[in-house]
Every structure is written in structure tokens, then in C-alpha cells.
């Protein structure tokens, strides 16, 4: 089985370093890129081809919600690619309202969104 290729997108360097540290000891995980900006995350998804994006939704610049919307609407992600959000409690409310907005406009298919 090939390694899971991960992109870390969080504007806090210490958060990225902590997550990377947790993942580095796992033999089937490879962190292929890191960024602190949503625009760069979009470009890194195109160029590095991660299987999994760990995306902070409250980054400065382009936030993770806007970057994810761009990835889901304008870029064809492989079916196996997943985006997981790094969120705090306040961000959960914002995330829920954004998902509902996209669903109400028919922009996203509900089958592409799962909560864990």
C-alpha cells in the first residue's frame, strides 16, 4: 500500500509542526507540503497531489473555507482525495453555515460532505 500523502494548511507554524511531529513516526504517512495560506494550499493541491488535506478554516489571507470551496468547485479532485478541517468551537458554527449555504445553492453535492 502506498503512503498517504498529506498537505498541512494552517497559519500557525506551531500547529503545523505539532501535527507533522505526530505524523512523522507513522510509516504509511508522508507530509508532502505545508502552507499557512489558502491560496498556496490550492496551488499545492495541484502540484503535490495530496490524498488528504488538513485545512485550518480560519487562516489569514484566503481562509480554509474559501480555499476548500475553490477546490471542490473549480478543481477536479480525485475521488480518493479528502479534506479534513482543523477547527475550534467558534469555527464550527461558521463552517456549518457555509456548508448549508453551498447546499442551498446546489453548489455542492451532499454526498461530498461528511461530518465525523
Amino acid at each position: 500500500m502506498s503512503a498517504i500523502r498529506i498537505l498541512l494548511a494552517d497559519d500557525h507554524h506551531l500547529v503545523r509542526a505539532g501535527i507533522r511531529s505526530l505524523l512523522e513516526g507513522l510509516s504509511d504517512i508522508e507530509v508532502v507540503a505545508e502552507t499557512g495560506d489558502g491560496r498556496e494550499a490550492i496551488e499545492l493541491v495541484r502540484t503535490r497531489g495530496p490524498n488528504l488535506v488538513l485545512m485550518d478554516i480560519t487562516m489569514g489571507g484566503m481562509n480554509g473555507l474559501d480555499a476548500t470551496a475553490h477546490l471542490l468547485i473549480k478543481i477536479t479532485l480525485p475521488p480518493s482525495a479528502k479534506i479534513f478541517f482543523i477547527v475550534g468551537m467558534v469555527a464550527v458554527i461558521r463552517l456549518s453555515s457555509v456548508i448549508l449555504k453551498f447546499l442551498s445553492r446546489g453548489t455542492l453535492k451532499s454526498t461530498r460532505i461528511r461530518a465525523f
Side-chain angles (χ1 to χ4, degrees):
M1 182 174 164
S2 61
I4 298 170
R5 299 170 47 82
I6 297 179
L7 165 63
L8 300 176
D10 193 297
D11 59 341
H12 294 95
H13 175 74
L14 288 175
V15 171
R16 290 195 318 265
I19 293 172
R20 178 183 279 278
S21 176
L22 290 171
L23 298 175
E24 281 180 337
L26 304 173
S27 61
D28 56 347
I29 302 285
E30 176 186 6
V31 177
V32 296
E34 293 182 31
T35 183
D37 177 72
R39 288 190 201 292
E40 188 175 6
I42 292 167
E43 187 58 30
L44 289 169
V45 167
R46 286 185 190 142
T47 60
R48 303 303 300 260
N51 307 94
L52 175 63
V53 178
L54 296 179
M55 180 85 73
D56 176 13
I57 67 169
T58 59
M59 290 183 285
M62 177 184 271
N63 66 49
L65 291 176
D66 292 339
T68 299
H70 184 88
L71 288 169
L72 292 175
I73 296 167
K74 301 202 176 180
I75 295 177
T76 304
L77 294 173
S80 62
K82 306 291 183 222
I83 300 172
F84 286 83
F85 292 111
I86 302 170
V87 299
M89 284 309 285
V90 173
V92 169
I93 296 168
R94 182 160 183 235
L95 175 61
S96 299
S97 66
V98 168
I99 289 172
L100 290 173
K101 180 174 81 172
F102 277 111
L103 289 174
S104 69
R105 293 191 335 209
T107 309
L108 298 176
K109 295 179 181 175
S110 61
T111 56
R112 303 238 5 218
I113 300 171
R114 285 191 204 153
F116 294 95

